[in-house]
Amino acid sequence: MAEEKSQASSSKMLTLKASDGVLFEVELNIAKEMKTVQAYIDDCEDIETIPIPNVLGKHLAIVIEYIKKTNEEYDAEFEKQWNMDDLQLLLLAANYLNISGLQECLCKAIAKRIENKSPEYVRKVFNIENDHSPEEEAKLRKEYKWAFEGVDKD
Amino acid sequence: MSSNSTQEEEEEEDAGVCINEALTDDELRSILARVETEKDKETFGLVCKRWLRLQSTERKKLAARAGPHMLRKMADRFTRLVELDLAQSISRSFYPGVTDSDLSVIANGFTCLRILNLHNCKGITDVGMKVIGEGLSLLQSLDVSYCRKLTDKGLSAVAKGCCDLRILHLTGCRFVTDSILEALSNNCRNLEELVLQGCTSITDNGLISLASGCQRIKILDINKCSNVSDVGVSSICKACSSSLKTLKLLDCYKVGDEAILSLAKFCDNLETLIIGGCRDVSDSAMKLLATACRNNLKNLRMDWCLNISDSSLSCILSQCRNLEVLDIGCCGEVTDTAFLLISNEEPGLSLKILKVSNCPKITVVGIGILLGKCSYLEYLDVRSCPHITKAGLDEAGFHFPDCCKINFNGSINEPAVLL
């Protein structure tokens, strides 16, 4: 509870409606961390329920929890709980809602999971089809090798 | 329950398939930006064509050995490159090396380039420089050290075309004359770093020309430009008074007190000064310099300044408490008294590197006094000092800092500072 952000002077509550209809009641200052929501509020002051059409209830819950609890320790542990699919969906949510701290945290997490892996692994995890022809791919690997061999790394 | 989980499973499956389509270029770039190693970036590019495009356009810096064919490919692929390093060395060279037509490919292909390193690319000529001047208008840093064929003609073309030039290295370009300094003065007002080491045709007129347009110079290296004298150097001191941090005048034997007094008068931000071989410099001028630059002076090389004696040396050591590197080799008049006269106020000296080679009047006594006032010494050069020997120091029982190395007879590698 101590980690939750302190209430604004008015304890105004707001309702966020996820894409699958799930409703979340949040304090105004929590909602304001999502710059998209902030813009919405700025435009129509009286609003009480804000639709979030791009984000599932499951992910919106995670995002709200992040905003309430974020600090260095929390962030470090945060990303470990989610699989790759969830991480990507959370990144989409963070981008749509425009929450820079969460965006940063998630990008780092995804980049870390690519660390030291092969292209085949990355394709599998992101569900990407390899559209390099085998000749192209061989050429790319060879080019890299010749040009940069024996040269200091960046 | 079962229908819910099927629905969820379906959603997750769909989510899995759609992700690469749903993540925009921006989001992928954000992820790529946090991929750290070279190898992982390479992996990123191998995943699919779209990721290859993102990775190629993200790449800002390249170090390679590459002939025209490879360069053309790189130019097609890495369109937003900012830094290109093609410097040649013993370990990194190939036949026939970088040529003028390679520079053509570079100038036409890497239009955003800001930093170009052609150190030791001996094959390039003024033709290549002209192309650079025409094509790379955003260029800020150019290193053509030891590209011996270059002349004023080609380099002026660079100055005229690359108006935002900040850093220019022309070491060893022996055909360069005052005319390039005029071109820089007229076109490159933001110039901050200029290295003309070994460009022996440079004269005072050139420096005066340079000073009129380039007033933000931080680093000026005219080592071995033996034709320059006080007049030229003073004009730079005055014009670049607040910016000048490093001035190198090695073996500029015509430079004397007047230049030192200009430095003292105008350049109190000075951090590094090399006047080795400027044998006319006197004690009184150095004392004024020490007082004026006492806050910022860190590196001072004045070997072969034959007129220097105890009075200015003790003044330098007393005033310049941030001094870390000092070379007074071959300053034959200096004695132990110089160290005795260092004032005892706090803080102690910051000196890390001291060279007193060939100063026959300094003895172990002087070294002992110095050690008492300075706890950070890392390197001491006492070659050709007949009164300072290993035996003598051991006998005196002085306490040197743990990592301190002492060079008695040339068997230790010198630190690279002040070369």
Side-chain angles (χ1 to χ4, degrees):
Chain A
M1 281 295 124
E3 294 149 337
E4 289 193 36
K5 297 198 194 303
S6 58
Q7 285 196 342
S9 52
S10 75
S11 53
K12 181 168 182 205
M13 301 296 279
L14 216 57
T15 305
L16 301 177
K17 183 170 169 189
S19 62
D20 47 1
V22 183
L23 297 173
F24 295 88
E25 236 194 315
V26 291
E27 284 149 8
L28 186 59
N29 59 346
I30 300 288
K32 280 183 172 191
E33 291 293 316
M34 313 180 199
K35 298 208 189 73
T36 308
V37 172
Q38 169 76 73
Y40 219 106
I41 300 173
D42 288 342
D43 275 348
C44 10
E45 280 173 15
D46 292 340
I47 194 99
E48 284 196 0
T49 305
I50 298 180
I52 312 278
N54 294 0
V55 186
L56 286 171
K58 163 183 174 186
H59 296 117
L60 193 51
I62 298 171
V63 168
I64 291 171
E65 170 119 357
Y66 176 88
I67 296 174
K68 287 185 185 168
K69 292 198 180 160
T70 177
N71 62 32
E72 234 176 270
E73 257 179 65
Y74 184 80
D75 285 9
E77 294 303 306
F78 176 76
E79 55 102 353
K80 293 184 189 163
Q81 312 168 50
W82 316 115
N83 64 31
M84 190 51 97
D85 278 351
D86 279 329
L87 277 182
Q88 292 171 85
L89 287 168
L90 284 169
L91 180 58
L92 283 176
N95 280 349
Y96 173 71
L97 294 167
N98 206 343
I99 309 166
S100 52
L102 184 55
Q103 283 169 306
E104 168 90 26
C105 181
L106 290 166
C107 284
K108 264 199 222 162
I110 298 177
K112 209 161 137 208
R113 296 207 190 179
I114 301 178
E115 211 172 276
N116 235 351
K117 297 282 194 290
S118 67
E120 293 79 21
Y121 175 89
V122 177
R123 285 177 204 134
K124 194 162 142 222
V125 138
F126 277 84
N127 239 301
I128 298 174
E129 212 180 288
N130 181 9
D131 56 356
H132 289 314
S133 74
E135 297 82 34
E136 273 171 355
E137 194 170 327
K139 212 166 65 161
L140 274 172
R141 288 188 199 258
K142 210 172 114 181
E143 267 175 17
Y144 247 112
K145 197 157 178 281
W146 187 88
F148 307 129
E149 190 178 281
V151 147
D152 295 338
K153 294 293 180 188
D154 284 8
Chain B
M1 205 52 218
S2 57
S3 62
N4 267 355
S5 62
T6 309
Q7 194 181 27
E8 258 187 55
E9 269 172 356
E10 265 179 25
E11 274 178 7
E12 292 230 355
E13 223 184 332
D14 285 337
V17 166
C18 293
I19 277 304
N20 195 31
E21 285 146 37
L23 280 185
T24 67
D25 277 3
D26 276 346
E27 281 133 23
L28 283 175
R29 274 190 206 283
S30 302
I31 297 172
L32 175 57
R34 285 158 182 86
V35 170
E36 285 179 2
T37 70
E38 207 37 60
K39 185 165 181 302
D40 289 335
K41 288 198 219 238
E42 221 183 286
T43 300
F44 197 97
L46 283 166
V47 165
C48 65
K49 285 196 204 295
R50 179 185 177 203
W51 285 37
L52 180 62
R53 176 178 52 82
L54 290 171
Q55 187 254 13
S56 304
T57 51
E58 182 256 9
R59 191 176 251 284
K60 296 278 180 288
K61 183 179 163 183
L62 212 53
R65 56 178 191 182
H69 177 59
M70 186 66 68
L71 276 175
R72 216 175 295 268
K73 281 207 220 173
M74 285 194 226
D76 286 338
R77 201 177 137 189
F78 302 112
T79 51
R80 289 203 215 152
L81 204 69
V82 159
E83 182 174 346
L84 181 58
D85 177 357
L86 298 172
Q88 302 294 295
S89 63
I90 310 282
S91 61
R92 198 212 295 182
S93 67
F94 63 101
Y95 181 80
V98 180
T99 65
D100 288 336
S101 48
D102 294 338
L103 294 183
S104 233
V105 172
I106 290 171
N108 291 321
F110 296 109
T111 48
C112 303
L113 209 61
R114 296 205 187 196
I115 302 174
L116 180 57
N117 187 347
L118 298 168
H119 190 109
N120 220 9
C121 294
K122 294 190 168 21
I124 64 184
T125 75
D126 286 341
V127 170
M129 289 297 106
K130 181 157 178 281
V131 172
I132 298 271
E134 283 163 3
L136 298 180
S137 54
L138 296 178
L139 200 65
Q140 290 183 343
S141 171
L142 178 64
D143 185 344
V144 288
S145 302
Y146 303 108
C147 299
R148 297 196 195 285
K149 296 183 186 172
L150 299 182
T151 77
D152 292 333
K153 189 165 159 219
L155 292 166
S156 298
V158 172
K160 285 179 192 145
C162 309
C163 299
D164 200 21
L165 206 60
R166 318 247 172 130
I167 299 177
L168 182 59
H169 285 231
L170 301 174
T171 305
C173 295
R174 59 213 161 134
F175 296 133
V176 154
T177 75
D178 289 342
S179 153
I180 183 59
L181 298 182
E182 194 179 332
L184 287 168
S185 182
N186 289 333
N187 295 288
C188 305
R189 300 285 164 132
N190 290 330
L191 196 65
E192 290 177 357
E193 183 173 328
L194 181 59
V195 177
L196 297 162
Q197 178 166 321
C199 300
T200 48
S201 306
I202 299 292
T203 75
D204 284 335
N205 286 334
L207 291 180
I208 293 170
S209 239
L210 183 67
S212 73
C214 298
Q215 309 204 329
R216 298 193 194 146
I217 297 179
K218 293 184 187 166
I219 298 176
L220 180 62
D221 178 344
I222 42 179
N223 282 346
K224 308 193 188 174
C225 295
S226 42
N227 283 317
V228 308
S229 76
D230 289 332
V231 173
V233 175
S234 298
S235 67
I236 296 284
C237 295
K238 191 163 173 205
C240 306
S241 56
S242 47
S243 54
L244 200 64
K245 288 207 170 133
T246 295
L247 182 59
K248 299 189 184 181
L249 303 166
L250 188 67
D251 293 338
C252 297
Y253 64 90
K254 296 180 189 171
V255 168
D257 280 355
E258 205 188 296
I260 302 297
L261 292 173
S262 293
L263 277 171
K265 186 168 171 193
F266 294 113
C267 304
D268 51 10
N269 288 324
L270 197 65
E271 290 179 10
T272 297
L273 179 62
I274 296 185
I275 46 171
C278 298
R279 46 190 189 236
D280 289 339
V281 170
S282 75
D283 275 338
S284 50
M286 285 311 292
K287 282 201 257 196
L288 283 167
L289 181 70
T291 309
C293 299
R294 64 187 177 283
N295 289 329
N296 292 312
L297 199 61
K298 285 212 184 86
N299 307 303
L300 178 58
R301 175 176 171 181
M302 42 185 212
D303 52 330
W304 291 102
C305 292
L306 304 173
N307 294 322
I308 293 300
S309 74
D310 293 341
S311 74
S312 64
L313 182 56
S314 60
C315 183
I316 291 168
L317 288 168
S318 300
Q319 296 268 6
C320 304
R321 293 290 177 163
N322 292 323
L323 194 65
E324 291 177 7
V325 180
L326 179 61
D327 182 349
I328 49 167
C330 305
C331 294
E333 294 305 309
V334 170
T335 77
D336 290 339
T337 311
F339 303 113
L340 198 58
L341 292 174
I342 303 172
S343 63
N344 275 322
E345 56 197 59
E346 285 303 307
L349 305 184
S350 307
L351 211 56
K352 289 188 188 163
I353 296 176
L354 176 64
K355 297 185 183 185
V356 296
S357 56
N358 208 2
C359 295
K361 297 184 188 175
I362 301 183
T363 75
V364 293
V365 174
I367 300 298
I369 300 171
L370 178 69
L371 277 177
K373 302 185 184 186
C374 133
S375 15
Y376 300 112
L377 208 59
E378 290 172 6
Y379 176 80
L380 178 63
D381 184 349
V382 295
R383 289 175 281 179
S384 307
C385 293
H387 300 293
I388 307 178
T389 61
K390 187 158 194 327
L393 287 176
D394 288 344
E395 196 187 313
F398 296 136
H399 179 59
F400 283 87
D402 287 334
C403 53
C404 185
K405 294 191 170 59
I406 308 175
N407 197 345
F408 293 100
N409 54 19
S411 52
I412 303 182
N413 285 330
E414 291 217 314
V417 178
L418 290 189
L419 290 177

